[in-house]
Amino acid sequence: MHRTARLRGTAGHVWRTLLASAAALLVLTSGAATPATAATQAPAAAQIPEGVTAGVAVFDRQTGTFTEQVNASAQFRSASVVKLLLTLDFLWNRGPSYSIPAADRARLEPMLRSSDDDAANYYWSTYGGPAIIERMARELSLTDTARPPAGYEGYWGYTALSARDTVKIYRYLLDTAPAPVRDFVMGNLRQSTRCASDDFDQHFGIAGAFDRPWAVKQGWAGSSFPEGTCGPPDSAAATRATTGARTAAAPEDRAADAVNLTRPALHTTGTVGAGDRTIVAVLTLHADGTSYGKAYTDIGRLTRSLNVPGGVRPTGKWYGTWSEHVNVRRDPSTANPPMTQLPAGVEVLVGCQKKGQTVSVPPYNNEWWAYLPQYGGYISNIYISSPDNRLPDVPDCAGS
């Protein structure tokens, strides 16, 4: 996850005239209006954005082959992806029924669905911390997985993990694990919430690149990724106000280790397609100081570039946005409270557009609104990086 690896006029001109950092916007918006295509038509090689270090493995369970492997054995700090191993370790010797006590179900379900850190802290401290990693690496024949470095045994998110080992974990879950274990873990991953337990927007990567069915376990870590990027703005602000006390920064003297503990990390892992056809593992590190919106955009572009058999791309066009705290609303007006706010500068999928209330950012005005199917709401086109008020390659919404 993130917050602690311890125990874890013309709207198109608005962004150019109001933002001094035009270069940063160009990074976010370059090629944003590329039409979505079927997964089987995706490029055969991963497209890794500049400044991103990535480990990628995509495994087609139907053919038993990898369709993508880029630095697949490279070790990354796991962040919250390690919660898969915490869950499996707890369930390992609970056969034959694999029943889960109510108290543990109340911890495990939010840990898998919403990446709850308190639950991870509990299992790490209760069941041996680094010993959990050693047990699971042995049982699952994980070759690149290792306990946190000496001196940082309390930081579960510093566990070393690779993309190919992540694929092995999912292959065990889907093909070898007892049915109750498989159904419990995968069932919860299919119910991944957009807002994590700390109000972090965790539907990046796989969750944005493909239509359901998918199942995901995400991971994030880094001081430049603020919490409270999801949910109603009031709750997000409250979360942001308390993050300082909950964030465990990695010591600088560990930056040169084989597993980088300091660069912002964003990982997307899981399955895509009917019958969990394809396993996808994308582990990424970003340049120091990278904003969450840019990292979200970069891992999204990388994941969309992959050859993922059985995956279905959502209909719509991808566009960059500008400004902070852009509100997503249930209808094209400001009359009702916002549903959530976008991460600053993030790229979004636009499904259609319609006229609504005029929004003004002097000296510009715009009456067009973009519908974002992945959020289930609208944002004003004035915040979309486009040369026109009305997006030229996006259809009108039905009933417009």
Side-chain angles (χ1 to χ4, degrees), residues 224-293:
S224 63
F225 292 167
E227 297 175 22
T229 58
C230 191
D234 287 345
S235 69
T239 304
R240 280 195 295 272
T242 63
T243 57
R246 299 188 300 169
T247 300
E252 290 186 5
D253 63 358
R254 288 286 170 181
D257 284 0
V259 178
N260 186 287
L261 303 181
T262 60
R263 288 174 61 187
L266 204 62
H267 309 324
T268 183
T269 77
T271 64
V272 176
D276 299 298
R277 173 170 174 174
T278 300
I279 300 168
V280 178
V282 179
L283 312 181
T284 64
L285 294 177
H286 302 259
D288 291 335
T290 297
S291 69
Y292 178 53

Side-chain angles (χ1 to χ4, degrees), residues 71-122:
N71 299 323
S73 63
Q75 291 179 313
F76 292 74
R77 71 187 188 278
S78 67
S80 284
V81 179
V82 75
K83 291 168 184 174
L84 294 172
L85 296 181
L86 301 186
T87 304
L88 286 174
D89 182 74
F90 172 77
L91 295 173
W92 198 262
N93 291 318
R94 302 194 67 84
S97 66
Y98 294 93
S99 60
I100 302 173
D104 288 293
R105 185 176 292 272
R107 296 185 188 99
L108 292 170
E109 289 183 347
M111 188 173 79
L112 292 171
R113 298 179 189 182
S114 306
S115 211
D116 183 74
D117 280 349
D118 291 337
N121 292 344
Y122 171 82

Side-chain angles (χ1 to χ4, degrees), residues 127-208:
Y127 294 97
I132 296 172
I133 305 307
E134 294 175 352
R135 288 194 294 266
M136 288 296 95
R138 180 178 62 252
E139 296 289 356
L140 303 182
S141 299
L142 305 177
T143 54
D144 310 314
T145 300
R147 57 190 290 157
Y152 303 104
E153 292 85 355
Y155 293 74
W156 43 260
Y158 288 178
T159 298
L161 191 64
S162 69
R164 70 179 180 183
D165 271 2
T166 304
V167 169
K168 285 183 183 179
I169 294 169
Y170 282 102
R171 290 187 69 184
Y172 168 77
L173 276 166
L174 294 166
D175 301 330
T176 306
V181 174
R182 179 194 65 226
D183 294 345
F184 177 77
V185 176
M186 296 306 298
N188 277 288
L189 299 187
R190 292 188 186 98
Q191 298 178 67
S192 169
T193 60
R194 171 172 282 280
C195 296
S197 61
D198 62 357
D199 289 327
F200 197 94
D201 186 340
Q202 64 167 349
H203 273 191
F204 50 83
I206 293 169

